[in-house]
Amino acid sequence: MFTFILWIIFGLVVGALAKMIMPGKQNMGWLMTCILGIIGAFGGGFIANAIFGGGGASDERMFHFWPIIFSVGGALIVLWIYGMLTKKS
């Protein structure tokens, strides 16, 4: 249960960072920010793990720089896709 709560907090932080970096206005609440952040963090973490190798959440490298960068990058991609899908014509 504690790991789940940490993923929610991490997703919220990553989603908020992605919203600050992404240009334009994104009309979404904190829940959608958290969800997109978790999806982006998962995708970015998967890519970082594939490139750099490593273990899961119990790995001591969990809080290093690269997984955070890849997670924010993944969240930016997810946020961009969400923006394209919800864009008004």
Side-chain angles (χ1 to χ4, degrees), residues 17-37:
L17 284 173
K19 277 180 67 172
M20 285 191 292
I21 294 171
M22 183 70 94
K25 182 171 173 65
Q26 296 84 28
N27 292 324
M28 66 181 81
W30 68 271
L31 183 61
M32 185 56 75
T33 300
C34 185
I35 291 170
L36 293 178

Side-chain angles (χ1 to χ4, degrees), residues 2-4 8-11 13 18 21 24 30 34 36 45 47 49-50 52-53 59 62-63 66-67 74 79 86:
F2 185 69
T3 304
F4 182 71
I8 291 174
I9 293 169
F10 185 70
V13 170
I21 294 171
W30 68 271
C34 185
L36 293 178
I47 292 170
N49 189 32
F52 299 112
D59 190 9
M62 181 177 152
F63 293 109
W66 287 113
L79 186 60
T86 59

Side-chain angles (χ1 to χ4, degrees), residues 5 8 14 16 18 25 27 39-40 45 53 55 57 60 62 65 69 73 76 83:
I5 293 171
I8 291 174
V14 167
K25 182 171 173 65
N27 292 324
I39 293 169
E60 66 274 0
M62 181 177 152
F65 186 69
I69 294 298
L76 283 169

